[in-house]
Structure formats: C-alpha cells, structure tokens
C-alpha cells in the first residue's frame, strides 16, 4: 500500500475549498492555511470541454 | 446567505435582511417572517429576493443599495477582505502550499469526486463536509484512498480535530490522550466539550461521515482511523461515536478492536445497549448515549477522572426530579406535548432514543428513528415532535441553523402559540464555524414565547442544553447565564435535557429509572 503525506504529529497545512467560515476558524487557531475562492465551473462549459477533449 | 448577514450588520436600523433564492422553502420562510405574501409569491424560482425590514427609510435604502452592490460585484461581499484569497483553483493552491497535508472541502457534492481523486493521487488527506456525494462516488473515493494510504473524513463530515486543532465545526478543547472516530458530527462535539469540562483532552476526533458505517462502504475509513489511532503513541483511549452501524459492520469493527486493538476503547453506539466486554478484561466498554460515553471515557482514564466527570456532567435522579417539578407545577391541564427544535442532527437522534422510551404517546420527527413516526410536514409540528432544523428541507438555499438561527427563531414563536405545548427543548451549539452568539440570537424569541403563553393563561417550559467548551469564542458560561436570565432551564447534557423535558411533560411520571441505568449513568458492573 502507498503512503499518503504525514498528517499526525506534524504541523497541519490546510487548503480550504469552500466555506470561508472554516478558513477563518483555522486562522483563529494559527493553523497554516490557504483559501481557494472557489466558483463552480459552468455546466455548459464543462460539456463543451468534454466534447473538445474527445475531438482534440 | 453571506450577503444577508452582511446587510443585517450594516446598520442598527436594519432589523431583518434576507437575500435569498426564491425557492419554495425560502418563500415560505419570508412569508412567516411577515413579508407580504403577494409580493413574495410573484418571484420565480430563478429570482433572487431582497427582503429587508428596517426602522427607518434611510436604513432601508442603504440595505437595498448594499445588497444590490454585493450581488453585482461578489468581491464586495466580504468587508475588510484584504485577506480574501486570489487563488481560484486547486492547482494554484497546491503551488502556493506544496506541502499541504490536508484539504477541507465544502463545495457542492457534484464537484467533489474530481477534486478528491486528484488529491488522493498526490497523497493528500481530506475532510469533506459536502453533502450529496453519491454513495457510488464515496465508495470509489474511499477505495482509492485506502490503496494510496490517504485518509478521507466524510463526505458529510462537519467536525474533526487533528493534532488538537479543530477542523470545520469544532470546539476550543484542550489536547489530551483521547482519540475518537465519529460518524456523528454534533455527537463528537458533545463528547469532546464534555470531556474538556472534565479536564480530559482530545488529540484527534476524526469524523468519517454518516454513510461510512453503511453496508456499501463497509466502514472503510472507520477502520483506517482506528488503525491510525492505535499507532499514535500519545493516544491511550480510543472512542467510536456513531448511530448504531449496520450489524455486519459493527461485527467487523468489534472483531478488529478485540483481536488487533491494544488500547482501551469506548464504543458509543447511540441507542444501543450498555455492556462491558469481559473477554477483554474491561478494555472495551460499550454505551448507548453521548452522556454515558463521557462517563465511560473518564472511567477508562482513571477513577479520579470518573468521579470528576460524574460530578460535572451528571444530575442525580432526585435532583432532576426536584428541578423539573418546579416547571411542571406551573403548567396548565391541557399542556402535554414536547416540541424539540434541534440544530444538531445527533442531538435529534439521541433525544428520540430517550423520548421514545419514556413518552407513552406518539412521537413525530422529520428525521425519525425506529418507533418514531415521520412528520407529515417538517414545517408543522404535531403531538410530541422532534425537529432537526439542519435537515435538507430547511437548508436548501440557506445556511445551516447552527450558522443562521432565523428558522428556529420563527419556529419558537409558532410552537408557543399551541396551547397543548408544555415544553420547548433546544440545543445551542457553540464553537468554530457556529453563529457568533447562538443563544443571544434566540433570547428575544424565547422571552416572547413565554410571554405569549402567559397571555394565554399558560406557562411554557423551556429546557435547553449548551454544547460548548469554556474556550469557545461565544462564551460557554455566559451562554448559560443568558438562557437562565430568560427563564430557560439549562441542563449539562443533551440526554439529561431530553429526560428533563419528558419529566415535565409527564408531571414526573414515566420510567425514569430505566433511562438513568441505560443512558445517563454507567452501570454497576463498570
């Protein structure tokens, strides 16, 4: 079995994708974190992307 | 929902602001908030409604202007957002933090799988709060994660603690020798906060999501988490907090911990039986409630801790009876029902377990357990009702009630109007991610509900429980004081609060001994 990154007993380094309140909570605890200002990909665009993926 | 919150805070003159999609649920809420039905009904489902109530015209105009500005330029939503991230995708975030070891995901469920699989391939652990991830996607994600040595907490996992740090909805608790795996978010919050009050710290609390212990997922991550906790030298007591898993999964977990586990265990399967596994010499204790789980953890930690936990989190049968008698003697003859308005899903579950053992009549819920009837409509209570306000029908297009208390505030008043209601039973969850003052936000309505009953010649009993740690920013002690200041009874655990509510409604009758022996104490054999 492969090994994931070390998580326990090392410093937490967190990427937050979604609700800002969770990022704020990490900051309050001095946890190193970055926040992604995530937006959903428009559906149509994804469908077009899929078609392009098949064509190109 | 963020815009609503920002608009509400612009000026003291703004008393209510909702900027929401015009879904049928939201339209219903606005009408119940007193906005004109004819105007509200005109909105189509794809429209956004800006509904504002203000004390003066200037505040009203300002609120509408700011709401429009924020809708047109989302970057204006966050005031003082110099810290607002410019990162818009996962790749740029991974470039900015190449050594990230955890990603916290709370985006719509349909987008989760793509991101999750990509992260698994890079060996990065994840906590997924998002709901609506299909069980097939969850299985694919978790199977690949196990192969890659990656931990997946969730989907549907709102609460975790890793290395003593709270992830998602969590509490400021001290670090210590306890490690917990939970498939019950507010259940984990209840246990860690009560342990904190008893001086027992928690190093890891790993939420695996409610579906993990279903047959299809097979407890994949619960077992992975148990193995990790077994390996951590700082952990001496491991707990499992969950609704009862499917029988085959429970057997698989029991087999694993009794054959391969070396540490002490507390298994809290809410609604399950209380027992000690004698074959393991008391190494494994099984209990049936969150309240008894805390006592069991303390017992595993030592006799001193057990005595402290009993003093701190228990109320003797006699004391509870005396306190509740002060409530039931004020009731009128026709008042007989309990209306439980919960924000925590596990609290809803635990309350049903207890109430269904005491109350003789029917109990209804929008998230019913076995022996409890499904409500015809979540919006209207009947007889004894236990409502989970965090269920999907209440959260579509609006924030969870632990963040936005509006929906419960409305409901408090509605329940108080019913002359057959004797008790309002409520939870208040503090901590990271929760509303900045969930108790303060409901005080006016609790006072109004009691006044309303009084004007009708009745007394409305309000029984509550505050789930919080003394370090939480909302203030644990001050939250309790505020509730007491408006005449609410505050009890130390959700299980005791549910028992107290039943005692009031039944005027002290009911099989309380059974509840005490099964759910509120640890039996004599421990």
């Amino acid at each position: 079995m492969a090994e994931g990154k070390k998580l326990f007993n090392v410093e937490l380094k967190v990427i937050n994708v979604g609700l800002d309140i969770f990022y704020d909570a990490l900051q309050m605890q001095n946890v190193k974190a970055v926040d992604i200002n995530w937006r959903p990909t428009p559906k149509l665009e994804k469908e077009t992307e899929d078609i392009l993926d098949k064509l190109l | 929902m963020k815009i609503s919150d920002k608009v509400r805070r612009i000026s003291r003159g703004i008393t209510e602001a909702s900027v929401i999609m015009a879904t049928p649920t939201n339209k219903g809420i606005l009408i119940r908030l007193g906005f004109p039905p004819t105007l509200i009904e005109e909105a189509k489902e794809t429209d956004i409604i800006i509904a504002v109530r203000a004390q003066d015209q200037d505040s009203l105009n300002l609120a509408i202007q700011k709401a429009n500005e924020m809708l047109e330029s989302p970057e204006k939503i966050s005031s003082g957002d110099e810290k607002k991230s410019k990162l818009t995708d996962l790749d740029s975030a991974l470039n900015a933090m190449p050594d990230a070891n955890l990603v916290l995901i709370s985006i719509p469920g349909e987008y989760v799988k793509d991101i999750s699989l990509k992260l698994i391939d890079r060996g990065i652990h994840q906590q997924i709060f998002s709901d609506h991830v299909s069980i097939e996607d969850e299985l694919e994600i978790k199977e690949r994660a196990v192969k890659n040595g990656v931990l997946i907490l969730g989907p549907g996992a709102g609460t975790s603690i890793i290395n003593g740090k709270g992830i998602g909805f969590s509490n400021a608790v001290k670090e210590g020798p306890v490690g917990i795996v939970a498939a019950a978010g507010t259940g984990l919050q209840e246990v860690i906060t009560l342990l904190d009050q008893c001086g027992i710290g928690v190093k890891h609390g790993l939420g695996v999501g409610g579906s993990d212990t279903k047959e299809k997922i097979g407890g994949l991550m619960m077992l992975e988490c148990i193995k990790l906790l077994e390996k951590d030298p700082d952990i001496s007591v491991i707990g499992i907090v969950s609704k009862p898993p499917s029988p085959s999964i429970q057997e698989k977990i029991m087999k694993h911990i009794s054959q391969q586990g070396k540490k002490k265990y507390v298994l809290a399967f809410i609604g399950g039986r209380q027992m000690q596994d004698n074959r393991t010499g008391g190494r494994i204790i099984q209990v049936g409630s969150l309240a008894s789980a805390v006592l069991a953890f303390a017992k595993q930690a030592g006799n001193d801790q057990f005595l402290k936990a009993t003093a701190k989190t228990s109320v003797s049968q006699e004391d509870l009876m005396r306190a509740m008698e002060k409530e039931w003697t004020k009731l009128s003859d026709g008042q007989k029902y309990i209306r439980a308005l919960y924000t925590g899903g596990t609290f809803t579950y635990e309350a049903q377990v207890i109430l269904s053992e005491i109350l003789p009549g029917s109990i209804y819920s929008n998230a019913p357990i076995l022996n409890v009837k499904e409500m015809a409509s979540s919006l209207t209570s009947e007889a004894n009702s236990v409502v989970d306000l965090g269920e999907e029908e209440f959260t579509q297009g609006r924030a969870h009630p632990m963040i936005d208390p509006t929906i419960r505030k409305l409901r408090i008043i509605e329940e108080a109007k019913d002359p057959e209601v004797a008790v309002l039973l409520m939870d208040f969850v503090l901590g990271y991610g929760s509303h900045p003052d969930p108790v303060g936000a409901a005080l006016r309505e609790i006072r109004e509900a009691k006044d309303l009953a009084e004007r009708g010649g009745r007394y409305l009993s309000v029984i509550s429980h505050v789930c919080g740690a003394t370090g939480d920013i909302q203030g644990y002690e001050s939250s309790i004081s505020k509730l007491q200041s408006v005449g609410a009874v505050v009890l130390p655990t959700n299980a005791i609060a549910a028992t107290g509510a039943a005692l009031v409604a039944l005027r002290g009758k009911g099989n309380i001994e059974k509840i005490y022996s099964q759910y509120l104490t640890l039996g004599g054999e421990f």
Side-chain angles (χ1 to χ4, degrees):
Chain A
M1 194 179 86
E3 281 287 310
K5 293 200 176 187
K6 210 163 164 20
L7 182 68
F8 286 3
N9 302 316
V10 293
E11 187 181 17
L12 274 184
K13 294 192 175 173
V14 186
I15 295 174
N16 181 57
V17 194
L19 294 172
D20 288 0
I21 46 167
F22 292 156
Y23 175 67
D24 295 342
L26 292 166
Q27 296 247 302
M28 283 166 70
Q29 299 173 84
N30 297 317
V31 173
K32 281 196 181 150
V34 296
D35 188 29
I36 300 181
N37 190 9
W38 187 87
R39 294 270 179 276
T41 318
K43 279 259 187 270
L44 188 64
E45 199 175 296
K46 190 178 183 320
E47 281 164 18
T48 314
E49 253 177 41
D50 290 345
I51 293 165
L52 285 171
D53 277 350
K54 280 179 193 159
L55 288 173
L56 299 173
Chain B
M1 53 208 178
K2 190 163 218 182
I3 298 182
S4 308
D5 199 37
K6 297 281 174 194
V7 173
R8 246 175 252 141
R9 291 181 201 190
I10 288 169
S11 144
R12 281 184 176 274
I14 299 163
T15 53
E16 177 55 44
S18 289
V19 184
I20 47 177
M21 293 299 295
T23 62
T25 311
N26 284 340
K27 288 205 273 190
I29 289 168
L30 289 176
I31 291 166
R32 286 156 72 206
L33 278 168
F35 290 101
T38 42
L39 265 176
I40 302 291
E41 289 301 350
E42 273 175 30
K44 296 189 288 290
E45 205 153 331
T46 49
D47 288 339
I48 291 173
I49 299 177
I50 302 174
V52 181
R53 184 176 295 121
Q55 289 169 343
D56 55 82
Q57 191 64 41
D58 286 349
S59 300
L60 185 69
N61 293 345
L62 183 67
I64 294 169
Q65 179 205 329
K66 292 287 177 193
N68 274 317
E69 278 177 22
M70 284 188 252
L71 286 169
E72 280 161 21
S73 315
E75 65 273 13
K76 289 185 183 166
I77 294 173
S78 306
S79 55
D81 264 5
E82 55 283 353
K83 64 169 190 180
K84 184 72 198 166
S85 175
K86 290 189 171 64
L87 305 170
T88 55
D89 60 55
L90 190 62
D91 289 333
S92 49
L94 288 166
N95 283 334
M97 188 180 262
D99 51 353
N101 49 12
L102 180 72
V103 175
L104 173 54
I105 302 173
S106 54
I107 58 175
E110 63 196 281
Y111 299 97
V112 166
K113 189 173 101 174
D114 286 351
I115 287 184
S116 180
L117 293 178
K118 197 170 174 177
L119 289 166
I120 290 169
D121 292 344
R122 298 182 66 143
I124 302 177
H125 310 281
Q126 299 153 49
Q127 178 169 326
I128 305 171
F129 175 52
S130 317
D131 278 328
H132 310 298
V133 176
S134 71
I135 195 102
E136 290 76 20
D137 283 359
E138 181 171 343
L139 184 63
E140 186 181 342
I141 290 168
K142 287 186 169 173
E143 280 180 336
R144 194 184 303 186
V146 171
K147 274 190 205 139
N148 286 275
V150 166
L151 204 57
I152 300 290
L153 304 174
T159 303
S160 283
I161 291 184
I162 299 174
N163 303 332
K165 304 288 185 187
I167 314 290
F169 293 110
S170 187
N171 303 83
V173 295
K174 60 183 79 61
E175 201 174 319
V178 171
I180 300 173
V181 189
T186 39
L188 178 58
Q189 287 189 273
E190 173 88 329
V191 171
I192 61 171
T193 51
L194 291 170
L195 286 176
D196 188 70
Q197 289 167 31
C198 303
I200 300 170
V202 177
K203 185 178 178 192
H204 305 299
L206 308 170
V208 293
S211 296
D212 195 79
T213 52
K214 287 182 181 162
E215 208 72 47
K216 181 122 183 171
I217 306 296
L220 272 178
M221 279 301 147
M222 187 164 272
L223 283 168
E224 288 302 306
C225 289
I226 291 169
K227 289 176 198 167
L228 282 169
L229 294 176
E230 277 281 349
K231 281 186 205 159
D232 190 326
D234 295 338
I235 301 289
S236 56
V237 185
I238 298 175
I240 296 176
V241 177
S242 168
K243 296 161 193 169
S246 70
S248 70
I249 307 302
Q250 187 164 337
E251 201 183 314
K252 197 198 275 188
I253 293 165
M254 289 298 282
K255 194 174 165 193
H256 178 85
I257 61 175
S258 58
Q259 291 180 359
Q260 294 178 50
K262 299 277 181 281
K263 297 183 176 177
K264 292 177 178 175
Y265 278 82
V266 173
L267 311 181
F269 296 132
I270 304 157
R273 298 284 103 189
Q274 199 177 99
M275 61 178 120
Q276 186 162 358
D277 191 340
N278 291 324
R279 291 166 301 177
T280 57
R283 189 171 64 83
I284 302 170
I285 299 177
Q286 190 172 318
V287 294
S289 74
L290 303 168
S292 50
V294 173
L295 296 174
F297 274 110
K299 187 79 182 168
Q300 295 286 43
N303 271 334
D304 287 351
Q305 282 91 336
F306 179 64
L307 291 174
K308 190 171 179 188
T310 305
K312 197 87 185 161
T313 68
S314 299
V315 178
S316 75
Q317 208 171 307
E318 298 71 32
D319 286 348
L320 185 65
M321 195 68 94
R322 261 196 299 275
M324 295 305 103
E325 190 177 4
K326 286 182 191 159
E327 293 291 300
W328 82 64
T329 48
K330 296 181 210 159
L331 296 173
S332 300
D333 284 349
Q335 292 183 271
K336 51 187 172 178
Y337 293 132
I338 297 170
R339 299 286 158 81
L341 304 176
Y342 276 112
T343 61
T346 320
F347 291 143
T348 313
Y349 191 96
E350 188 182 47
Q352 289 181 71
V353 166
I354 287 170
L355 294 178
S356 60
E357 297 237 19
I358 314 181
L359 298 177
S362 296
I363 302 172
Y364 295 84
S365 177
N366 62 332
I369 64 166
L370 207 66
N371 302 329
V372 168
K373 293 177 179 169
E374 180 146 20
M375 294 170 82
S377 161
S378 303
L379 297 177
T380 316
S381 300
E382 52 188 313
N384 295 298
S385 288
V386 185
V387 189
D388 182 356
L389 296 164
E391 277 289 300
E392 194 185 333
E393 63 269 27
F394 294 110
T395 56
Q396 263 182 345
R398 27 182 339 115
H400 191 278
M402 271 161 59
I403 304 169
D404 178 356
T406 310
I407 196 140
R408 181 157 71 177
K409 286 159 68 172
L410 283 170
R411 195 65 177 252
I412 289 170
I413 302 297
E414 282 167 15
E415 303 298 355
K417 288 177 187 164
D418 186 339
E420 291 190 311
V421 171
V423 188
L424 281 186
L425 172 62
M426 288 185 281
D427 61 340
F428 293 90
V429 183
L430 314 183
Y432 301 118
S434 283
H435 186 276
D437 184 10
V439 170
L443 283 186
R444 197 173 71 180
E445 281 70 21
I446 295 174
R447 219 180 276 125
E448 203 178 317
K450 280 183 167 279
D451 288 348
L452 213 152
E454 202 178 322
R455 287 198 296 277
R458 309 184 300 276
Y459 172 78
L460 181 67
S461 177
V462 176
I463 313 272
S464 62
H465 164 56
V466 178
C467 171
T470 47
D472 284 331
I473 48 161
Q474 293 90 346
Y476 176 68
E477 298 294 344
S478 63
S479 294
I480 291 175
S481 302
K482 278 188 254 182
L483 281 166
Q484 289 168 336
S485 74
V486 292
V489 175
V490 187
L491 290 166
T493 68
N494 178 59
I496 297 175
T499 310
L503 278 176
V504 173
L506 296 174
R507 275 74 170 166
K509 298 190 181 76
N511 191 355
I512 190 175
E513 286 78 16
K514 187 180 170 196
I515 300 300
Y516 260 82
S517 67
Q518 190 60 40
Y519 302 115
L520 304 184
T521 53
L522 270 191
E525 70 267 33
F526 299 108

